[in-house]
Amino acid sequence: MPQPRVQIRPRRRPPLHFLPLGGCGEIGMNLSLYGHEGDWIAVDCGMMIRQDLPDSPLQVPDLSTLATLGIRPSALIITHGHEDHIGAAAWLWPKWGCPIHATPLAAGLLRAKFAERGLRPDAIRVIEPGEAVETGPFTLRYLPLTHSIPESCALLLAAGEHRVLHTGDWKLDPEPLIGPAVAAETYRALAPVDLVVGDSTNALVAGHSRSEGEVARALETAIGACRGRVVVSCFASNLARVLAIGRAAERCGRRVSLMGRSMERMVGVARGLGYLEDFPPLVPVCDLGYLPPEEVLVIATGSQGEPRAALSRLARGNHRHFELERGDSVIFSSRTIPGNERLIERLKTALGRFGVTLMDDGNHPELHASGHPARDELATLYGWVRPRRLLPVHGEPRHQDAHRALARELGIEAPLTPQNGDLIRLDAEGLHLEARHPQSPRMIRQDEVAPLPGLGGEERSRHGQLHLALTVAATDHGWTRLGRLLLDTSQSSPLDEDAFTDWLDDCLAEIRVDTLADLRLALRPRLLAWMGEHLRRVPEIHLQILAAEAELLSSPSD
């Protein structure tokens, strides 16, 4: 007698959820959450400088979505010590009170931030690159990658049967000045992974990012050709660049001084951890006047034209101990951050009045290197780890779309362009957008995290909300919009997006202002008037204006 067949259903794997609250559709303010079987962890907790608001305040991620969904992370995992990955932790972590896992340098920078806010550092736990940590159902291994700050790590995240590579910020530098080059065999051993959550910052850039070793040699050549005093400005967190400048100064017979509190703090923390051991002895700024000009080199903050930074004080001639003179040289060992173009041009004009020689990425591109992977580096890493799927993060929509296009060329499934607030599910069938939660801006105001009022004023509108983000580039003829317009609406009247976009482009072309903050101020009454004319009910409008490089005007945006 035949036995009845028993049908065995395959066991369904519990899905893995991904929820970005920052770093998607923008560069900076990175915060991502991963959830599995009801447990959640947070990866990074960064801030962003809002250049489109007066006084450039700090913006931090909006945690209201977590409260709505009942999510409280059991751990905060830090990939590296840049401000856009740790800058919001001292403000947001107290709402969680969970353990914080960070590599030594990032942990040291976090302790300093906690001390400033009167927070105890007991929750900060140091983990060395290469080590693993377990929290709830998650196992995370810190995998070293090169970047523009030491100890940057990707995370191999395992939960259930899911294996995800969260890259953080990285590049493939064959000649890093601090730490080893990336070990290809480490990443080949991971293959294949189910998903890469990857850095999109330079996905539009062909080729390979320049090595820090190349920049070091270029700096030594440039400094060796200078005859008067030399001021080099770079990002304080780029310790490899700071080390390169110090070594070049010593080889050229110059004494080194630091100018700027963030530079002094970063070098102090790094030296305390054993970095910069061969950095030359420092000379106090107040003693530089006793040295011959050809023996002086200053490493200064302020390469982005920040009004209160050291370089701007020199340009105004109001530094207490140091005044520029004809024959001196100022080197910008940095790239212009989009939106700062006119600030930097004003700074350079002011410096030029002293008769100094200026060198920057325009006339000497070899003096700077990006810390992010160009397209060849992305393809190389993906060849090593062989991901089945990609979620492009850390970039504006045009960067994310270019990253997706590259993934498809490599045979990698990339169905989604994540936005902040997107709840994404990874299961056996692939990636799925479960829900979208629009994010309201949260600013640091009067030592507290506060919502940013909409354009209509302080009172919350009863007619819904409209979140509008646009990317613009400064040109010789005003402002031009780049890429897609990001619109999120909630309970507001239907909007004719084509008509609105056409009007917005014409409006931008007519506005003649220098900064994003002034552009926002000029756009505000026009925006409210258009909405009043075309919508039956005007919602509360949240506007964010992002800047892009003007040279990308000819690049594809879709």
Side-chain angles (χ1 to χ4, degrees):
M1 181 176 181
Q3 296 293 321
R5 291 184 179 179
V6 178
Q7 183 175 5
I8 300 176
R9 294 182 180 177
R11 183 172 61 88
R12 297 187 62 184
R13 296 191 301 173
L16 180 73
H17 284 92
F18 176 70
L19 175 62
L21 297 182
C24 289
E26 64 198 2
I27 295 177
M29 201 176 72
N30 299 286
L31 171 57
S32 301
L33 291 106
Y34 290 91
H36 184 67
E37 295 190 294
D39 285 285
W40 290 81
I41 58 170
V43 176
D44 291 327
C45 192
M47 46 71 67
M48 177 171 61
I49 298 173
R50 279 294 292 271
Q51 297 170 304
D52 62 325
L53 294 171
D55 300 322
S56 300
L58 302 182
Q59 181 176 342
V60 299
D62 177 13
L63 299 187
S64 61
T65 298
L66 301 188
T68 300
L69 299 177
I71 294 172
R72 184 171 180 172
S74 59
L76 171 58
I77 312 296
I78 301 297
T79 61
H80 65 280
H82 274 153
E83 286 293 295
D84 60 332
H85 291 257
I86 67 170
W91 302 96
L92 303 185
W93 169 85
K95 298 180 181 296
W96 303 334
C98 60
I100 303 172
H101 300 278
T103 51
L105 179 58
L109 297 171
L110 277 171
R111 289 192 190 101
K113 291 180 175 297
F114 275 36
E116 288 178 356
R117 298 213 66 228
L119 300 173
R120 293 176 60 86
D122 303 358
I124 301 173
R125 303 176 183 180
V126 175
I127 182 167
E128 296 290 339
E131 293 183 349
V133 61
E134 292 187 8
T135 174
F138 298 95
T139 300
L140 302 111
R141 182 169 295 279
Y142 277 68
L143 302 171
L145 277 173
T146 46
H147 184 42
S148 54
I149 189 172
E151 302 174 359
S152 292
C153 289
L155 299 170
L156 178 64
L157 183 153
E161 299 177 30
H162 303 284
R163 297 172 72 250
V164 176
L165 182 66
H166 182 106
T167 69
D169 290 353
W170 64 283
K171 64 187 285 187
L172 295 180
D173 192 334
E175 196 180 356
L177 298 189
I178 299 178
V182 177
E185 61 273 13
T186 297
Y187 288 88
R188 288 194 181 104
L190 308 179
V193 296
D194 297 313
L195 172 67
V196 163
V197 178
D199 180 2
S200 308
T201 307
N202 276 350
L204 285 163
V205 179
H208 197 289
S209 298
R210 186 177 289 113
S211 169
E212 284 295 332
E214 295 179 58
V215 177
R217 289 186 287 274
L219 282 167
E220 185 172 343
T221 300
I223 292 169
C226 296
R227 295 293 170 259
R229 296 175 300 175
V230 176
V231 177
V232 185
S233 187
C234 66
F235 296 114
S237 62
N238 193 339
L239 291 176
R241 192 71 48 80
V242 173
L243 178 60
I245 297 166
R247 286 175 174 172
E250 191 169 45
R251 290 168 183 160
C252 295
R254 294 180 180 270
R255 307 287 295 278
V256 178
S257 184
L258 303 180
M259 192 177 291
R261 284 183 295 176
S262 61
M263 184 70 68
E264 293 169 357
R265 173 190 292 175
M266 182 63 71
V267 170
V269 172
R271 279 185 147 177
L273 292 168
Y275 292 111
L276 306 182
E277 287 184 345
D278 58 345
F279 197 74
L282 293 172
V283 176
V285 175
C286 58
D287 291 343
L288 291 179
Y290 299 107
L291 296 175
E294 65 273 12
E295 295 182 13
V296 172
L297 185 139
V298 173
I299 307 177
T301 58
S303 64
Q304 300 304 306
E306 304 95 319
R308 293 186 291 273
L311 197 56
S312 288
R313 296 204 308 274
L314 292 178
R316 293 192 297 268
N318 62 4
H319 194 280
R320 288 187 299 167
H321 303 294
F322 195 92
E323 186 172 327
L324 291 169
E325 299 173 352
R326 183 172 295 278
D328 293 342
S329 298
V330 177
I331 298 174
F332 288 78
S333 185
S334 61
R335 183 186 182 190
T336 298
I337 293 177
N340 290 341
E341 292 89 352
R342 289 185 170 93
L343 278 176
I344 295 173
E345 284 307 311
R346 283 204 293 265
L347 171 64
K348 291 176 180 177
T349 299
L351 290 168
R353 296 190 186 106
F354 291 93
V356 303
T357 299
L358 292 175
M359 288 179 270
D360 58 21
D361 62 344
N363 55 22
H364 288 275
E366 72 278 7
L367 298 177
H368 177 63
S370 171
H372 299 271
R375 293 173 66 86
D376 286 357
E377 292 160 275
L378 291 168
T380 297
L381 180 66
Y382 298 161
W384 292 344
V385 301
R386 303 204 321 267
R388 296 185 176 94
R389 303 173 183 90
L390 168 79
L391 281 176
V393 297
H394 298 181
E396 297 165 13
R398 59 201 175 91
H399 305 111
Q400 294 173 284
D401 290 346
H403 200 172
R404 286 180 62 197
L406 175 63
R408 288 193 292 266
E409 290 175 15
L410 299 173
I412 301 167
E413 181 183 334
L416 301 174
T417 299
Q419 297 181 28
N420 294 335
D422 283 359
L423 182 61
I424 296 171
R425 183 180 78 253
L426 170 65
D427 58 24
E429 282 73 46
L431 292 164
H432 314 274
L433 177 61
E434 280 195 0
R436 177 158 284 166
H437 303 273
Q439 302 296 290
S440 297
R442 293 291 188 271
M443 317 303 297
I444 304 298
R445 293 180 180 272
Q446 298 179 347
D447 206 38
E448 291 184 354
V449 179
L452 175 67
L455 296 184
E458 296 286 348
E459 185 177 351
R460 197 171 185 84
S461 170
R462 294 176 297 172
H463 304 312
Q465 300 182 63
L466 185 148
H467 295 262
L468 170 63
L470 62 145
T471 301
V472 299
T475 70
D476 294 336
H477 309 289
W479 298 88
T480 299
R481 183 177 61 84
L482 292 181
R484 302 196 317 271
L485 190 68
L486 290 186
L487 278 168
D488 266 319
T489 59
S490 171
Q491 300 175 357
S492 59
S493 301
L495 177 69
D496 185 336
E497 291 190 23
D498 291 337
F500 176 67
T501 300
D502 291 342
W503 168 84
L504 181 62
D505 289 342
D506 292 341
C507 188
L508 288 170
E510 296 171 357
I511 296 176
R512 299 287 188 270
V513 293
D514 286 341
T515 67
L516 292 188
D518 289 338
L519 176 61
R520 178 189 177 90
L521 192 63
L523 191 57
R524 170 178 173 156
R526 295 170 169 85
L527 187 59
L528 288 172
W530 192 93
M531 293 289 178
E533 291 177 5
H534 293 82
L535 298 182
R536 198 160 45 89
R537 297 177 176 178
V538 178
E540 179 183 8
I541 303 169
H542 295 285
L543 172 65
Q544 180 173 1
I545 305 177
L546 308 167
E549 299 92 335
E551 60 264 27
L552 290 177
L553 284 171
S554 58
S555 300
S557 58
D558 293 319

